[in-house]
Amino acid sequence: MKNLFLIIGAPGSGKTTDASIIAEKNDNIVHYSTGDMLREEVANGSELGLEIESYIAKGALVPLNIIVNTIVSAINNAPVANVLIDGYPRSTEQMIAFDKLVEKEDNIRLASVIEVRVSEQVAKDRILGRAADAKPGEERSDDSIEVFFDRMKIYTDPLAEIQAFYTEKNLLTVISGERTLEEVVEDMEAFVKSKI
Ligand code: AMP
């Protein structure tokens, strides 16, 4: 049985960094970022990777079947029982698709959905800071001001519906991402551990 935590947050909220530190510190927790998994596929140079890159470069969402396959195989292949996935769901379509899937799957329990909340200004400052600090060859194709606003809109448009859906199921927890990395990690880690 896999205990699943979905972590959502604006681009620049720090969700990937927070979750990867928690997984590094705990042998019984593993972490996958949808963005990282998709970028790995792009780096593989496969045909699927080329298709994925065309969406990422624009800041657009990759199609439903691609992202669902990506996360389901990550969960099923996870080497330990507690799995953090950040970056999913990003649309109501993804949320509904996953809800149906979890209902059928005896092997997956959705333990919680954690929203890492930051203001748009903080998100923007962090993303533009990340673009300025990137080493040559490590730049992300989507860390630019133009793409930032598209990604932010894609994040915020379905957010109220996603929040309402998981609040109704008593599964939503909001954590403030506008604190030091250590504080956010400590808070998220304590919460995750309380649920496993
Ligand atoms: P991130 O690293 O989380 O900011 O994601 C980078 C990019 O990967 C996004 O802008 C999308 O193009 C793609 N992506 C990440 N997560 C998802 C998802 N749940 N659904 C569709 N596309 C995604």
Side-chain angles (χ1 to χ4, degrees):
M1 167 69 105
K2 295 278 167 43
N3 268 322
L4 179 66
F5 294 81
L6 296 175
I7 305 176
I8 61 173
S13 61
K15 60 189 189 303
T16 304
T17 309
D18 305 330
S20 58
I21 293 174
I22 294 169
E24 256 166 49
K25 285 171 68 184
N26 294 278
D27 290 345
N28 60 343
I29 302 175
V30 73
H31 160 248
Y32 303 107
S33 148
T34 55
D36 286 348
M37 289 190 286
L38 295 170
R39 280 186 290 273
E40 264 166 41
E41 192 61 48
V42 173
N44 285 342
S46 64
E47 205 156 305
L48 177 63
L50 277 178
E51 186 187 352
I52 291 172
E53 174 60 8
S54 70
Y55 293 95
I56 291 185
K58 288 184 293 201
L61 295 179
V62 308
L64 184 66
N65 65 326
I66 296 180
I67 191 68
V68 170
N69 287 342
T70 303
I71 67 163
V72 168
S73 62
I75 298 166
N76 286 334
N77 294 325
V80 297
N82 304 299
V83 182
L84 313 181
I85 290 201
D86 84 70
Y88 192 98
R90 288 201 179 169
S91 65
T92 49
E93 180 189 47
Q94 290 184 6
M95 175 179 79
I96 304 288
F98 195 69
D99 192 58
K100 291 204 179 117
L101 204 134
V102 169
E103 237 170 62
K104 280 194 301 195
E105 268 285 346
D106 293 339
N107 200 33
I108 305 174
R109 179 181 82 101
L110 180 56
S112 191
V113 177
I114 302 172
E115 177 191 341
V116 183
R117 192 173 286 174
V118 295
S119 68
E120 180 162 335
Q121 186 62 47
V122 166
K124 190 168 97 195
D125 291 348
R126 287 187 186 166
I127 290 287
L128 298 183
R130 182 162 76 190
D133 292 344
K135 297 193 193 84
E138 288 182 8
E139 302 95 343
R140 282 180 49 162
S141 59
D142 55 356
D143 275 354
S144 67
I145 186 75
E146 299 79 17
V147 178
F148 170 78
F149 286 112
D150 290 341
R151 290 166 71 203
M152 198 66 199
K153 181 167 166 26
I154 288 174
Y155 177 70
T156 48
D157 278 355
L159 186 60
E161 238 176 294
I162 291 174
Q163 288 165 330
F165 185 82
Y166 290 119
T167 301
E168 167 91 358
K169 290 177 181 281
N170 224 354
L171 284 174
L172 185 74
T173 293
V174 179
I175 286 183
S176 164
E178 295 195 1
R179 296 172 292 167
T180 65
L181 181 61
E182 291 73 21
E183 285 169 318
V184 180
V185 166
E186 192 182 332
D187 209 2
M188 196 188 288
E189 184 178 11
F191 174 75
V192 167
K193 285 177 158 176
S194 77
K195 295 277 171 190
I196 60 182

